[in-house]
Amino acid sequence: MTWDPAQYLKFAGERLRPASDLLSRIPLAAPESVVDLGCGAGTVLPLLAQRFPQARLVGVDGSAPMLARARAEYPRVELVHADLATWRPPEPVDLLYSNAALHWLPDHDTLIPGLLEALKPGGCLAIQMPRNFAAPSHTCIIDAIEQGPFRQRLLPYLRRQPVAAPAHYYRLLRPRFATLELWESEYLQVLSGDNPVAEYTKGSWLQQFLALLSEPERRAFEADYRARVRAAYPPEPDGHTLFPFRRLFIIAQRAAG
């Protein structure tokens, strides 16, 4: 899909908090090489550089518009335009960090264990993925597809649960890594503006379906979704909208040697 950096970054603060929480739990002291897999517009790059100032930092993303934004903001960081599903570093790295990116890719049972080979002995894999797909923010997208006039067009692209339960990743990764930590956090995001949950998802999960439609169709589909999600997340008396958002965290470390 085509990413819109400006739309995505409307909620940069809310999107950055889990990235920072993941970073704070990484057990490495001074890695030499760090890859931000799915770096997007580069908002996490300064946090990684601050935490690991001596590391060689590389950002990888599949979206040219997002990388253009990252290059403008962080011209000294090495940035790579590549398919996240197939890209691997030319040699193993100390830290492979991925914030809110891998849920876009299928076949986690092959993809995530395969990242083990990208790590040095003692290297660490740190992943955060949204797991909010059973919430109204996302089920309203499903309803708008299934009950609307674009069902046949959009249904083949619908992935209902792109991220599995934490126990699934434990069973998948525990035999392969020396240490493994998993947890979930639900962030109560307090949003401002008119129908802000619709604006939030328009910068991410909703956009992939809008991109498949013509301009008139896109307006009709988005209007349907916005009406549904507005009813699911009414504003509070103070005018703010509460948007709980669940996220899954994984930190896995290879044996030292």
Side-chain angles (χ1 to χ4, degrees):
M1 76 178 199
T2 301
W3 284 85
D4 180 347
Q7 182 71 34
Y8 182 83
L9 293 173
K10 283 183 178 181
F11 300 94
E14 287 81 5
R15 299 186 192 278
L16 194 60
R17 182 180 171 189
S20 179
D21 289 347
L22 176 66
L23 182 59
S24 71
R25 300 280 284 271
I26 292 172
L28 303 180
E32 296 178 353
S33 50
V34 174
V35 171
D36 184 352
L37 189 63
C39 66
T43 53
V44 184
L45 293 173
L47 300 182
L48 290 165
Q50 182 179 24
R51 169 76 188 274
F52 305 118
Q54 303 305 315
R56 175 175 174 262
L57 179 59
V58 177
V60 183
D61 203 84
S63 168
M66 295 290 260
L67 280 177
R69 180 69 173 259
R71 288 193 178 96
E73 295 288 335
Y74 313 106
R76 297 183 180 180
V77 176
E78 180 182 350
L79 297 171
V80 179
H81 185 208
D83 183 350
L84 302 186
T86 57
W87 182 88
R88 296 294 180 271
E91 57 186 32
V93 299
D94 295 300
L95 173 61
L96 193 56
Y97 174 98
S98 183
N99 178 67
L102 298 188
H103 63 295
W104 291 100
L105 304 178
D107 193 16
H108 285 184
D109 287 10
T110 300
L111 172 70
I112 296 180
L115 296 175
L116 174 68
E117 300 305 317
L119 297 175
K120 295 178 183 178
C124 188
L125 175 64
I127 297 170
Q128 183 273 121
M129 296 183 289
R131 212 168 83 84
N132 211 52
F133 300 97
S137 56
H138 291 67
T139 60
C140 285
I141 298 175
I142 297 174
D143 293 343
I145 292 173
E146 292 188 329
Q147 300 169 23
F150 311 113
R151 174 185 172 91
Q152 296 303 318
R153 187 100 55 87
L154 300 180
L155 203 57
Y157 300 93
L158 182 60
R159 297 168 61 221
R160 297 173 188 274
Q161 290 296 336
V163 178
H168 178 85
Y169 294 101
Y170 176 86
R171 298 182 187 111
L172 178 68
L173 299 176
R174 187 63 189 92
R176 296 173 166 89
F177 287 88
T179 63
L180 177 64
E181 183 181 10
L182 299 99
W183 75 95
E184 284 189 312
S185 295
E186 184 172 273
Y187 296 83
L188 184 60
Q189 301 178 142
V190 181
L191 306 183
S192 302
D194 178 50
N195 206 352
V197 177
E199 288 296 305
Y200 192 104
T201 57
K202 186 177 179 180
S204 53
W205 201 248
L206 179 66
Q207 180 58 33
Q208 63 186 309
F209 302 107
L210 296 177
L212 295 168
L213 301 172
S214 68
E215 182 60 32
E217 293 170 334
R218 188 158 51 242
R219 289 197 299 267
F221 180 74
E222 184 180 349
D224 183 9
Y225 169 73
R226 294 180 76 92
R228 295 172 187 270
V229 84
R230 183 192 297 275
Y233 297 94
E236 295 294 305
D238 66 359
H240 291 97
T241 298
L242 302 183
F243 181 26
F245 202 106
R246 181 174 297 275
R247 296 180 180 271
L248 172 67
F249 298 80
I250 302 171
I251 295 181
Q253 190 168 17
R254 288 193 68 176

